Amino acid sequence: MAVNKYLNIYNYLKDKIESNEFEDGKKLPSENELSSLFNVSRNTVRRSLDMLASDGLVTSVHGKGVFVLEKQPLNFLVGGLQSFKEVSECNNLSYHTSIPLFDNVIIDEDLAKKSNFLVNSNAIKIFRVRNIDNENVILDINYFNSNVVKGLTKDIAYGSIYDFIENKLNLKISGAQKVISVEPACDIDKKYLDLNDSDLVAVISNYVYLDDGTLFEYTQSRHRPDRFKFNTFARRFHK
């Protein structure tokens, strides 16, 4: 019964935070107020608040109370393979995508070294800028193998390219190799992202394969670092 009580408080507060009824920087009701509202002990309330803090939703300020954190990070599962649309739906985000670049290119030697595509092969190059809460916080620089991802258009790129590949082209995406780094912001980052005071970007380079081993995508996903955290799960194997 006690378990239900602290979860009820947790879900009540979380819903109000995610719906912006409790806005960024807003002070939550006090422990005494929540104890009276739910007819529970302060220890039960504290357990709920600890869960919210573990989720990165609130912070406790000694002597002042508990406040909603201003920037709620997105959760990207490093060990998984998700489209931005899928991540946004998991995080209950409303977002806008703009595409300042959609072009056919030929892979030169420098890009071949970065992407692992063959020199002189054809690719579709796309810049997709992700706007969340009226800020441009992600720049996806995509290269797709033209011989594999046939019929890709700018209109499709506004939505989910993975959905197009899997459900329209009937291809099976198998997995990806990912390289994560933190780099100085380049001119392209400064042009398309609202970096504020940051001069760094978090970069995930993705090499994505079909189930037959064909490399069909190379993407650099460039993130403003204060808005994101990347999660993975590590398992220890025993002899």
Side-chain angles (χ1 to χ4, degrees):
M1 195 71 173
V3 171
N4 289 333
K5 287 182 178 179
Y6 82 78
L7 285 177
N8 285 340
I9 302 169
Y10 165 80
N11 288 323
Y12 167 81
L13 295 173
K14 185 177 181 182
D15 287 345
K16 288 187 176 296
I17 291 170
E18 292 182 342
S19 67
N20 289 323
E21 186 172 339
F22 289 162
E23 299 175 348
D24 293 351
K26 181 179 178 65
K27 182 180 177 181
L28 296 186
S30 68
E31 289 183 5
N32 286 333
E33 290 171 326
L34 291 170
S35 295
S36 298
L37 179 62
F38 288 92
N39 192 28
V40 297
S41 69
R42 290 179 63 182
N43 284 337
T44 300
V45 171
R46 288 193 191 107
R47 189 171 183 182
S48 306
L49 296 175
D50 286 343
M51 290 176 64
L52 291 171
S54 295
D55 289 345
L57 296 174
V58 302
T59 186
S60 178
V61 180
H62 183 68
K64 294 185 178 181
V66 178
F67 296 83
V68 178
L69 285 174
E70 290 187 0
K71 295 297 182 185
Q72 298 182 32
L74 289 174
N75 287 294
F76 286 86
L77 184 63
V78 171
L81 185 55
Q82 305 156 293
S83 69
F84 180 80
K85 182 178 179 181
E86 291 166 339
V87 171
S88 299
E89 289 174 351
C90 288
N91 286 272
N92 297 313
L93 288 176
S94 95
Y95 67 92
H96 171 73
T97 295
S98 60
I99 302 180
L101 178 68
F102 187 99
D103 200 7
N104 294 300
V105 298
I106 297 176
I107 302 297
D108 61 21
E109 290 188 5
D110 287 341
L111 186 54
K113 291 177 181 178
K114 294 178 182 177
S115 67
N116 291 335
F117 285 144
L118 295 176
V119 175
N120 294 325
S121 62
N122 295 312
I124 301 168
K125 180 179 181 179
I126 311 171
F127 282 7
R128 290 191 287 180
V129 181
R130 315 298 195 170
N131 184 289
I132 302 169
D133 297 333
N134 296 314
E135 292 184 305
N136 294 332
V137 293
I138 307 174
L139 171 62
D140 286 334
I141 301 177
N142 308 119
Y143 293 89
F144 289 96
N145 185 326
S146 301
N147 293 324
V148 176
V149 189
K150 297 178 180 179
L152 180 60
T153 66
K154 190 173 183 178
D155 285 342
I156 293 169
Y158 278 111
S160 172
I161 295 177
Y162 282 8
D163 179 71
F164 170 73
I165 291 171
E166 293 176 322
N167 297 312
K168 298 298 182 183
L169 299 181
N170 295 315
L171 299 173
K172 183 177 286 188
I173 300 172
S174 175
Q177 178 187 6
K178 300 189 177 190
V179 179
I180 303 173
S181 59
V182 176
E183 302 176 6
C186 66
D187 290 340
I188 292 176
D189 299 320
K190 295 173 183 177
K191 180 177 181 179
Y192 292 112
L193 296 180
D194 296 322
L195 292 174
N196 296 339
D197 295 328
S198 178
D199 57 0
L200 297 172
V201 290
V203 181
I204 301 183
S205 297
N206 292 280
Y207 304 82
V208 193
Y209 298 84
L210 298 178
D211 61 347
D212 64 0
T214 300
L215 174 67
F216 73 91
E217 175 193 357
Y218 166 66
T219 287
Q220 277 198 356
S221 190
R222 306 179 71 84
H223 302 256
R224 200 177 79 186
D226 66 309
R227 290 298 306 273
F228 299 91
K229 63 181 179 182
F230 305 104
N231 295 333
T232 189
F233 178 77
R235 184 181 300 276
R236 180 174 174 82
F237 292 94
H238 296 277
K239 295 179 179 180

